[in-house]
Amino acid sequence: MLTDDDLRVLSEYKYRSIDKSPTSYYILNPFWTWCTSLFPTWYAPNLITLTGLAFVVGNLVLVELLVPDLVGPGPSWLYYSMAAGLFLYQTFDNCDGKQARRTGTSSPLGELFDHGVDSLNCTLAGLLMVVTLGLGSTRLGAFFTLVSAWPMYFSTWEQAHTGVLYLGFINGPTEGILIACGVMLVSAVLGPQIWLEPTGFGSLIWRDIFVGNVLVALFFVHVPGCVWNVRAAGKQVRLVEWLPLLAFTASSWFWATSPFGHILAHNHLVLWALQSCLVFGQMTTQAILAHLLHKPYPIGSTIMLTTFVGCVVVNAPLIGLPGLTHSQELVLIYVTLAVTLAMYLHWALGTISAFCRFLDINCLTIKSRGKHV
């Protein structure tokens, strides 16, 4: 539990960000400002953030109902809906801060809440892209879902050391989401099977081109850029701070793709991804919290144990122990998901409550005096 002594540094809080995207500055920012003016002044910024996430979650529910194999093709309107939902998520994610400034209700809780929701959305949006590309419950589908969360981790790590959220000329929250929306629109018009068509370059298909570009952007642009900015700020790059991400990714991957497991073979990728989403969400948000409270960068989180347990139990035959049947692993998935959700809610609600108490604010409503949000 957070104490008043822990939270006392919040009085020094000042949000700092740099966005060099021309798309954001010249096109989207005026649009976001106009959208913000449509919200009533009683609509709390954090509620805007949460509403944006609801568009993504709502589309995932539609996917489970209409394209449960994550391959499809589903009805064309579903892909239009996913594109619209992701675009609305981006819009609301940029309106919340403007609404806070508009109503004079900016606070460190707003930054924590906003980035915490972004951390959850990474995996969820990755799942929508799995459906868009028709990857299905496969190793590539699991890989793409996990890798979708990596940019958020490194941006959070960079901000923790530089004190600035840096968005480059081409960045994930702006151009990345717009590209994802564009891919969804292509699938809406031509069907997800278009990504399996040959490109004319050897045996390459369009899906390979897209996934390859995502990996190049991540490992050769985004991660090196984060490292460069940390070093430019005069801070030491401690690779041990990357261990939580590597441990989380490895344990999630070896659980989902275990030859003794049933997640991919029996189409349980969504359940597995929801559990991974919560683990990554808390792990990353704890790093944001440490930044706000001027604490050391956290090396791991207790919630990661749920993923480790799943990975170890499913791969028990490697050391001669009996494996799990499909029904047994399904119980394991549901139990770990429930425990992970309980741990996440306990931590998140406790943290929000502590912030609200110390700052004398509400989380999802604006107090009548309009002091903070």
Side-chain angles (χ1 to χ4, degrees):
M1 292 295 294
L2 296 173
T3 66
D4 286 354
D5 286 338
D6 294 323
L7 301 172
R8 214 169 301 281
V9 296
L10 294 179
S11 60
E12 307 168 13
Y13 170 78
K14 183 178 181 180
Y15 181 68
R16 298 171 60 200
S17 66
I18 297 174
D19 186 350
K20 293 190 173 183
S21 167
T23 304
S24 174
Y25 185 81
Y26 291 106
I27 302 174
L28 291 178
N29 196 54
F31 170 69
W32 294 331
T33 299
W34 174 76
C35 288
T36 303
S37 69
L38 301 179
F39 288 99
T41 54
W42 54 261
Y43 207 97
N46 289 339
L47 188 56
I48 294 177
T49 308
L50 200 59
T51 304
L53 182 65
F55 292 119
V56 175
V57 173
N59 276 294
L60 278 175
V61 172
L62 292 176
V63 164
E64 274 291 274
L65 293 174
L66 301 172
V67 194
D69 63 356
L70 308 183
V71 177
S76 61
W77 65 262
L78 175 62
Y79 303 97
Y80 283 118
S81 176
M82 289 193 295
L86 191 57
F87 181 75
L88 285 171
Y89 169 82
Q90 180 195 59
T91 301
F92 279 50
D93 188 41
N94 283 277
C95 286
D96 53 10
K98 293 181 181 295
Q99 177 77 341
R101 291 185 290 274
R102 176 190 179 205
T103 56
T105 57
S106 298
S107 81
L109 176 60
E111 179 178 350
L112 183 68
F113 196 92
D114 180 279
H115 293 343
V117 168
D118 288 342
S119 298
L120 294 175
N121 180 66
C122 292
T123 305
L124 302 182
L127 266 179
L128 292 183
M129 288 304 298
V130 167
V131 179
T132 300
L133 298 171
L135 300 181
S137 188
T138 61
R139 294 170 71 91
L140 183 56
F143 175 77
F144 195 90
T145 302
L146 286 174
V147 166
S148 297
W150 277 45
M152 181 69 189
Y153 186 91
F154 281 100
S155 290
T156 301
W157 171 78
E158 175 191 8
Q159 183 183 9
H161 289 291
T162 64
V164 179
L165 177 62
Y166 181 86
L167 300 176
F169 292 96
I170 298 178
N171 61 75
T174 303
E175 288 79 9
I177 287 182
L178 292 179
I179 290 171
C181 291
V183 172
M184 291 171 178
L185 291 176
V186 170
S187 291
V189 176
L190 302 176
Q193 61 273 13
I194 188 64
W195 304 106
L196 299 177
E197 294 292 326
T199 61
F201 299 100
S203 60
L204 284 177
I205 58 177
W206 288 108
R207 184 182 67 189
D208 297 336
I209 297 293
F210 179 78
V211 174
N213 282 331
V214 169
L215 296 179
V216 168
L218 172 61
F219 292 109
F220 293 96
V221 179
H222 184 69
V223 174
C226 291
V227 172
W228 174 274
N229 288 334
V230 169
R231 285 182 170 172
K235 301 299 178 66
Q236 181 181 5
V237 174
R238 300 176 64 237
L239 296 182
V240 68
E241 294 171 346
W242 298 1
L243 283 180
L245 177 65
L246 298 177
F248 157 75
T249 302
S251 57
S252 295
W253 172 256
F254 288 118
W255 181 4
T257 63
S258 170
F260 312 105
H262 308 274
I263 287 177
L264 301 184
H266 290 85
N267 196 29
H268 297 314
L269 188 70
V270 172
L271 288 175
W272 165 83
L274 290 177
Q275 193 270 343
S276 298
C277 164
L278 293 169
V279 173
F280 179 81
Q282 181 170 330
M283 184 175 71
T284 308
T285 311
Q286 282 182 323
I288 299 168
L289 178 63
H291 160 62
L292 291 174
L293 300 183
H294 301 175
K295 301 285 187 180
Y297 195 88
I299 308 299
S301 173
T302 306
I303 200 171
M304 296 170 63
L305 292 175
T306 58
T307 304
F308 295 157
V309 168
C311 178
V312 170
V313 171
V314 168
N315 288 287
L318 288 174
I319 57 174
L321 296 176
L324 299 180
T325 64
H326 170 226
S327 59
Q328 289 173 334
E329 185 174 3
L330 187 57
V331 171
L332 175 66
I333 294 172
Y334 276 114
V335 169
T336 53
L337 176 57
V339 172
T340 304
L341 178 60
M343 294 176 69
Y344 180 88
L345 289 177
H346 175 74
W347 175 80
L349 294 177
T351 301
I352 291 172
S353 176
F355 269 63
C356 289
R357 183 190 70 252
F358 182 81
L359 297 172
D360 189 24
I361 59 175
N362 296 332
C363 180
L364 299 178
T365 60
I366 298 177
K367 284 196 171 184
S368 58
R369 65 180 184 277
K371 180 182 177 182
H372 291 296
V373 66

